[in-house]
Amino acid sequence: MAQQFSRRHFLQAAGATLATLGWSQVDVLRRGDRYGRVLAQSTPRKLALLVGINDYPQDGLFPPLNGCVNDVELQYHLLVHRFGFKPSDIVKLTDQQATRAGILTAFEEHLIKQAQPGDVAVFHFSGHGSRVLDPDQDFPDGLNSTLVPVDSLLPAGFPQNGGSVQDITGHTLFLLGSALPTENFTMVLDSCHSGGAKRGNLVIRRRSGGSSLTMDEAELAYQEYWLSQLGLSAEDFIQRRREGIAKGVAIASAKRDQYAADAPFEDFYAGAFSYVLTQYLWQQTGSPSFDSTLGNVARTTTQLSFSNQEPQFETQPGSSYDSLPIYFTQKTTPPAEAVITHIQGGEAEIWLGGIDPRNLAAFEQDAVLAAVDAGGQEQGLIQMTQRQGLIGRGRLLQASLPSGALLQEQVRGVPTNVTLRIGLDESLGRDQASARAALAAIPRIEPMTLGQGEVHYILGRMTSDYRQDLAGQPDIPAENSLGLFSQGLDLVPGSYGNAGESIAAAVERLQPKLRSLLAARIVKLTLNPGSSRLNLSVTMAPEGGGQLVASAFTVRGSSTPPPRPGIEQIPIDTAIQFQIQNQEPRDLYLSVLVIDATGEMAVIFPNQWTASTEATLLPAGQTLLLPNPNQDSFRLVTQAPQGTTEVLIVASSNPLDTALRALQGMATRSGVATGPVGIDDPTQIADNLIQDVSRQSQESNETLPVQPVSVTQLAALSITFDVI
């Protein structure tokens, strides 16, 4: 009311003056009303309620979480700095604030009562999910999915004894959505309703539930209140919610029977889905739709958590909201890796929400970020001095910069001595100490206790329980064999030995694989499809042409629209071919690496091992066909094992001399003159590649703590597909 009165008061005061121009006060009010309606349509108010709960009661019945409050910050900074939400229009409820009453009251007061038709509303929840008995039996299992507020305790004696809980049910969320005056509503739920407390090094965002738990009287009374307010009969309520969601779009971090990961990233925790979603949206040059966004973030979420976490979304029945911009909001700011949140003197505090989770280690010391205006023009530089979690600090290199300025990557600092962290699974039992000692003896391998931070892989023993979890998968390792898991306990194919193998023998056998996995981590620290300024594109198709299978390109170096989402499945024995285009006005130097499902690495370009350093050259404006049937004597054919294969394409404006010489030495020792070659020391090759592309290592012989890599000198892309 205050805003409406203020506008009319201004128009009334101006009426006498405007009347002299032939406009009556009625005309002014009519024109003002029309302008107000247009303004409301073109610049809607944007409201958000963000809920994150780490601090659940530590009663042993379900675990506290670590990353949910960070999820709130991830969404907050994204909505404010990339989608134009006003900080005053965002309510955050964390930990002890996020009681059942607190969440419901905030939803009513902030979203339902303040939103107007055409406004934008967002509700995000990160915390535990659960299930309770559904008296209406909407699903075959007879259970209703719920959100768990901080004060919803399990009954005494659970699970032997059941009872009521103070959860917020899916039925209540439907009614709250129905009560919103706007259709432009997005609900994001980073929780799940199945699985145990932990899996590998990840905590599952799920509290135990089931048919022995029921809705409490307050929940049932609250639903009756909203049915009355909305004029819905019980029968209509059941019918409508079975048809679909009430309003807008609902995004879930996993399917109903899957897991949602509370995951460690370097030195902090977050929801795997929330981090991937928000980081992806920081990087986009346009306004991606719900459909394309969820398709693109799903694969990365699965890679960073479990194979059993696939994000989903649902739209209001009869709508075409899947094709609308996510959050129903057009972005007006350029893509960015970070934003300045505070300036004091010549120092800046930075939020690094746009950094790829796999690249965080390269954004600590000596990384350089450029502040840009709304048109993407550089306004000044910041050199980072430290990072803790997603908060960085740096010094201004030139000019004064405002708080809120967006930052784009200019230089990242790849650490010289990157390590591979291997978690020790509880299945090792008393052998954990000997496993720790054996792994610690391998250069750049860092053994870690699970639950103490991010690990890249887990060393464990195949137990009967693990075999049962893997039932139905091909080539399940023998019980009591030793090998590697992912952080979320997915198998690393080809890493398991014979049953009864000793720890010492297993670690010795795994050393080549560990070196390959370390090399892959080093190279992936350079991946920069969102920030590189080089104009490079890659496509993959069946040999001899045909339908495009996959593509990758540098987003800021190209005007090409984003690739379609998803990941392709390619049968074994399929011949494939790559087309790599250098669309720069200068020559680039190229290396193409393939990492199969077992972690083994091979080089498919360069592949002329007796040639000079020009063997890696891709001239300006030229296209490389790989393999080229007119000159290459080999084919690229998918082979076992089944699983994910990743192709890494590294293009540099600097010659790749050091890496090429090392590869030529390996090819000579293998007796290979042309064609792809396996790498017997992949860590050395990865280090050589980083040294070659680093602009500073070309000028100094001393060992530097980090290798600076500029976005104007490097494009590192990835194409991933499943071999089936």
Side-chain angles (χ1 to χ4, degrees):
M1 291 296 294
Q3 288 182 327
Q4 185 179 20
F5 175 79
S6 176
R7 180 174 63 84
R8 287 185 178 273
H9 181 75
F10 166 76
L11 291 171
Q12 288 170 352
T17 302
L18 294 174
T20 63
L21 302 177
W23 289 4
S24 71
Q25 189 166 331
V26 173
D27 288 329
V28 172
L29 288 173
R30 286 174 178 169
R31 293 168 189 265
D33 284 337
R34 285 199 297 272
Y35 173 76
R37 287 194 294 270
V38 171
L39 184 64
Q41 292 170 359
S42 61
T43 57
R45 191 177 180 193
K46 303 168 187 175
L47 302 165
L49 171 59
L50 311 178
V51 181
I53 309 172
N54 290 337
D55 194 18
Y56 284 98
Q58 297 191 37
D59 56 8
L61 296 179
F62 57 103
L65 298 171
N66 298 298
C68 299
V69 173
N70 281 336
D71 289 0
V72 166
E73 294 304 309
L74 286 164
Q75 279 283 18
Y76 173 82
H77 287 290
L78 176 78
L79 294 177
V80 169
H81 299 294
R82 290 289 277 135
F83 286 92
F85 283 58
K86 294 179 180 178
S88 58
D89 283 335
I90 298 178
V91 169
K92 297 189 284 187
L93 297 179
T94 58
D95 289 336
Q96 298 307 312
Q97 298 171 319
T99 61
R100 170 188 160 78
I103 295 170
L104 296 178
T105 299
F107 200 110
E108 290 182 32
E109 297 296 326
H110 186 61
L111 298 183
I112 294 175
K113 291 185 179 180
Q114 295 198 45
Q116 299 295 320
D119 284 351
V120 169
V122 174
F123 172 66
H124 178 109
F125 177 86
S126 284
H128 279 304
S130 189
R131 289 177 180 172
V132 300
L133 180 68
D134 179 6
D136 298 325
Q137 305 284 298
D138 285 357
F139 289 91
D141 60 12
L143 300 176
N144 188 357
S145 298
T146 69
L147 307 182
V148 181
V150 72
D151 58 344
S152 183
L153 304 178
L154 285 167
F158 182 85
Q160 288 76 22
N161 299 324
S164 65
V165 289
Q166 298 185 63
D167 292 5
I168 298 172
T169 64
H171 294 177
T172 293
L173 291 176
F174 182 94
L175 292 169
L176 291 172
S178 299
L180 280 167
T182 179
E183 302 293 321
N184 302 331
F185 174 51
T186 306
M187 179 165 58
V188 183
L189 305 178
D190 198 346
S191 59
C192 63
H193 314 286
S194 63
K198 293 185 178 181
R199 185 171 176 84
N201 198 41
L202 306 177
V203 177
I204 297 174
R205 292 182 169 182
R206 177 256 187 184
R207 186 207 66 195
S208 296
S211 58
S212 66
L213 298 181
T214 59
M215 292 181 272
D216 71 356
E217 291 300 321
E219 177 78 352
L220 294 170
Y222 191 73
Q223 291 176 12
E224 288 296 327
Y225 166 79
W226 276 111
L227 286 173
S228 173
Q229 292 293 306
L230 295 167
L232 275 178
S233 68
E235 293 75 18
D236 288 340
F237 178 35
I238 293 172
Q239 179 181 345
R240 284 187 56 189
R241 69 174 187 254
R242 289 180 179 177
E243 291 173 352
I245 63 172
K247 291 278 180 72
V249 177
I251 300 172
S253 61
K255 292 181 180 178
R256 192 169 186 268
D257 58 349
Q258 292 184 336
Y259 312 143
D262 197 62
F265 296 96
E266 289 290 334
D267 56 349
F268 72 101
Y269 287 79
F273 172 70
S274 290
Y275 187 6
V276 172
L277 172 68
T278 54
Q279 188 272 331
Y280 173 82
L281 292 173
W282 273 97
Q283 290 287 318
Q284 298 313 296
T285 55
S287 296
S289 66
F290 286 98
D291 186 26
S292 67
T293 297
L294 270 295
N296 277 299
V297 304
R299 182 65 189 185
T300 305
T301 301
T302 300
Q303 289 175 333
L304 293 176
S305 57
F306 325 95
S307 59
N308 200 22
Q309 180 171 1
E310 302 170 83
Q312 304 287 300
F313 77 102
E314 183 180 357
T315 60
Q316 183 177 338
S319 73
S320 57
Y321 292 157
D322 57 331
S323 61
L324 293 184
I326 192 165
Y327 299 136
F328 297 95
T329 302
Q330 295 281 349
K331 289 189 297 183
T332 58
T333 59
E337 278 68 54
V339 62
I340 298 174
T341 55
H342 183 67
I343 291 280
Q344 185 171 5
E347 300 291 320
E349 183 177 278
I350 305 163
W351 177 258
L352 296 162
I355 302 295
D356 188 306
R358 295 163 293 191
N359 297 157
L360 279 169
F363 288 87
E364 297 184 8
Q365 181 182 351
D366 292 338
V368 178
L369 303 170
V372 295
D373 61 18
Q377 297 301 307
E378 184 178 313
Q379 303 297 301
L381 298 174
I382 293 177
Q383 184 175 32
M384 289 187 62
T385 55
Q386 60 177 301
R387 177 189 62 79
Q388 183 173 4
L390 286 174
I391 298 175
R393 299 190 183 279
R395 59 179 178 271
L396 304 184
L397 297 183
Q398 60 192 63
S400 60
L401 296 172
S403 180
L406 296 180
L407 301 172
Q408 294 182 346
E409 176 190 352
Q410 293 296 299
V411 176
R412 66 181 61 182
V414 179
T416 302
N417 196 29
V418 176
T419 62
L420 190 73
R421 295 189 286 273
I422 305 297
L424 303 175
D425 190 59
E426 61 183 12
S427 62
L428 296 175
R430 296 179 179 178
D431 290 331
Q432 283 198 33
S434 58
R436 183 183 298 274
L439 289 168
I442 305 172
R444 300 171 70 172
I445 301 299
E446 186 179 355
M448 288 184 61
T449 302
L450 294 183
Q452 301 300 309
E454 183 182 25
V455 301
H456 303 113
Y457 296 93
I458 295 173
L459 176 66
R461 181 174 279 113
M462 182 56 59
T463 65
S464 58
D465 287 343
Y466 288 161
R467 282 180 59 84
Q468 186 174 350
D469 286 345
L470 297 167
Q473 294 189 22
D475 304 321
I476 300 176
E479 188 172 335
N480 204 33
S481 60
L482 291 163
L484 298 175
F485 295 97
S486 72
Q487 190 170 217
L489 285 188
D490 290 324
L491 281 181
V492 175
S495 68
Y496 283 79
N498 297 321
E501 183 182 28
S502 70
I503 290 289
V507 172
E508 178 68 25
R509 173 179 55 81
L510 287 169
Q511 282 202 41
K513 186 173 296 294
L514 292 172
R515 286 196 294 268
S516 288
L517 295 172
L518 172 60
R521 178 167 188 252
I522 294 169
V523 176
K524 289 179 183 180
L525 282 172
T526 69
L527 289 175
N528 62 354
S531 59
S532 175
R533 301 307 195 277
L534 298 184
N535 194 344
L536 184 79
S537 66
V538 184
T539 60
M540 183 176 75
E543 184 182 71
Q547 183 177 359
L548 179 70
V549 174
S551 65
F553 58 87
T554 49
V555 175
R556 295 179 203 171
S558 166
S559 58
T560 309
R564 58 194 177 92
I567 183 168
E568 292 296 332
Q569 295 183 326
I570 302 178
I572 288 176
D573 294 329
T574 300
I576 57 176
Q577 197 171 48
F578 295 91
Q579 185 171 286
I580 304 172
Q581 292 182 292
N582 174 10
Q583 300 174 73
E584 284 287 307
R586 55 177 167 167
D587 295 345
L588 296 177
Y589 298 86
L590 190 69
S591 182
V592 182
L593 311 172
V594 178
I595 306 169
D596 69 13
T598 71
E600 298 301 317
M601 181 182 289
V603 177
I604 61 174
F605 188 86
N607 49 55
Q608 303 296 319
W609 302 114
T610 58
S612 67
T613 56
E614 300 302 303
T616 63
L617 181 67
L618 180 56
Q622 297 296 304
T623 297
L624 171 70
L625 198 61
L626 182 65
N628 187 332
N630 296 323
Q631 64 184 51
D632 292 329
S633 58
F634 64 90
R635 302 171 71 207
L636 297 176
V637 181
T638 55
Q639 300 174 3
Q642 297 180 19
T644 300
T645 293
E646 188 167 13
V647 181
L648 303 176
I649 303 96
V650 179
S652 171
S653 60
N654 293 328
L656 303 179
D657 296 349
T658 311
L660 179 62
R661 285 194 296 270
L663 287 168
Q664 287 174 329
M666 293 180 187
T668 299
R669 291 192 295 274
S670 302
V672 177
T674 62
V677 63
I679 306 175
D680 56 18
D681 191 353
T683 305
Q684 177 193 348
I685 299 302
D687 286 338
N688 291 156
L689 276 173
I690 302 300
Q691 181 182 347
D692 285 335
V693 301
S694 171
R695 60 181 174 85
Q696 200 172 80
S697 62
Q698 307 291 320
E699 305 162 2
S700 173
N701 293 322
E702 64 178 304
T703 301
L704 304 171
V706 296
Q707 301 275 18
V709 177
S710 170
V711 295
T712 63
Q713 294 177 306
L714 174 73
L717 306 178
S718 170
I719 284 181
T720 302
F721 57 92
D722 282 341
V723 176
I724 59 173

